[in-house]
């Protein structure tokens, strides 16, 4: 039998190790203050790493110690509070979890202040036009320091609709986004095409837009193609 590999000792002064330790402490405190059981998050950095760069929240993640499957708005609020001072997260994915109530403003406040997140996925999260408005405001580029977040996936949120697509860039705000997924988001007809053509598709950095599963039909499709033809 080959000898077991000796586990590499972690330097307690390693920035990643210290950040993970602080995050876990903050997460425990945030859940305690809100009176909810913490989600059993996968916080294993992997071999040779001292901190996580990716975090996925799904309905399959249980709370501890009861083992319930219910990720509530309070859980998202606790997570956002704990992540506020964590500098190494690059991807946050929330799948099939309702982003609503107190969880929505907490999450968008975190995004507004964050400068290191690169990918945000909110797939099948019961998003509404109001959620898109808050997301757009949180993502907008303000001041000389750009955000790293360039990929936004909002697929399978049929409640977004035409109004949500318009609200995402309401008031002509500038977003850092390069890749956006709005597949199966309830956009339809000429109104949906106009919402995209006059807003999201005018963003100077946008290079990819997934619109599968939307019923833009001829009029809506023509509106988006016209913007593509003239280059925004």
């Amino acid at each position: 039998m080959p000898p077991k590999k000796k586990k590499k000792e972690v330097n307690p002064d390693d920035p990643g190790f210290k950040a993970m330790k602080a995050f876990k402490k903050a997460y425990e405190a945030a859940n305690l203050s809100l009176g909810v059981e913490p989600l059993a998050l996968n916080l294993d950095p992997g071999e040779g790493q001292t901190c996580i760069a990716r975090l996925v929240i799904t309905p399959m993640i249980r709370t501890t110690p009861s083992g319930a499957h219910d990720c509530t708005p309070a859980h998202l609020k606790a997570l956002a509070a704990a992540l506020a001072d964590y500098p190494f997260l690059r991807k946050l994915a929330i799948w099939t979890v309702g982003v609503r109530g107190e969880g929505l403003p907490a999450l968008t406040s975190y995004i507004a202040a964050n400068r290191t997140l690169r990918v945000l996925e909110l797939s099948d999260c019961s998003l509404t036009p109001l959620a898109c408005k808050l997301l757009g405001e949180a993502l907008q580029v303000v001041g000389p320091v750009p955000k790293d977040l360039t990929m936004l996936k909002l697929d399978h949120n049929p409640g977004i609709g035409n109004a949500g697509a318009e609200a995402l860039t309401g008031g002509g705000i500038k977003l850092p986004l390069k890749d956006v997924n709005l597949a199966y988001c309830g956009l339809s007809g000429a109104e949906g095409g106009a919402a995209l053509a006059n807003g999201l598709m005018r963003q100077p950095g946008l290079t990819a837009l997934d619109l599968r599963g939307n019923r833009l039909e001829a009029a809506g499709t023509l509106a988006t193609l016209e913007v593509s033809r003239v280059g925004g």
Side-chain angles (χ1 to χ4, degrees):
M1 223 179 134
K4 290 184 179 180
K5 288 185 179 179
K6 187 178 179 181
K7 190 174 181 181
K8 187 178 179 181
E9 291 186 8
V10 177
N11 179 1
D13 293 324
D14 179 89
F17 176 78
K18 292 170 73 174
M20 278 298 298
K21 187 176 180 180
F23 167 71
K24 291 175 182 178
K25 185 177 180 180
Y27 184 58
E28 182 180 352
N31 282 281
L32 185 62
S33 70
L34 292 169
V36 294
E37 293 182 317
L39 298 171
L41 304 174
N42 179 8
L43 300 178
D44 180 8
E47 188 176 352
Q49 304 298 318
T50 58
C51 62
I52 60 166
R54 177 178 181 268
L55 189 58
V56 178
I57 308 295
T58 76
M60 295 307 295
I61 297 179
R62 297 175 180 267
T63 56
T64 56
S66 70
H69 277 298
D70 191 18
C71 178
T72 67
H75 285 108
L76 293 181
K77 184 177 182 180
L79 178 63
L83 285 173
D85 295 319
Y86 182 74
F88 294 106
L89 196 66
R90 300 293 180 263
K91 177 178 179 178
L92 176 61
I94 302 176
W95 302 333
T96 321
V97 171
V99 177
R100 60 189 187 280
E102 60 186 338
L104 176 58
L107 182 63
T108 52
S109 292
Y110 161 68
I111 294 166
N114 183 272
R115 287 293 182 276
T116 60
L117 201 64
R118 295 174 183 168
V119 179
L120 176 64
E121 297 184 7
L122 300 175
S123 301
D124 190 19
C125 288
S126 304
L127 298 183
T128 63
L130 174 60
C132 288
K133 179 178 183 295
L134 293 177
L135 274 172
E137 291 172 351
L139 286 167
Q140 68 178 309
V141 178
V142 178
V145 182
K147 288 177 178 288
D148 282 348
L149 202 156
T150 56
M151 180 179 289
L152 179 65
K153 297 186 69 174
L154 304 179
D155 56 290
H156 293 86
N157 283 289
I160 287 178
N162 298 339
E166 183 177 3
L168 193 61
T169 56
I173 59 177
K174 182 181 177 183
L175 303 178
L177 302 173
K178 295 181 180 179
D179 188 337
V180 178
N181 188 331
L182 287 174
Y184 301 94
C185 283
L187 279 75
S188 61
E191 184 182 347
L196 293 167
N198 296 325
L200 189 59
M201 294 185 71
R202 298 283 180 181
Q203 295 298 314
L206 190 69
T207 58
L209 178 60
D210 190 338
L211 296 172
R212 288 174 298 167
N214 293 292
R215 304 186 68 177
L216 293 174
E217 301 174 346
T221 302
L222 283 172
T224 61
L225 288 175
E226 180 62 22
V227 175
S228 299
R229 186 180 69 82
V230 300

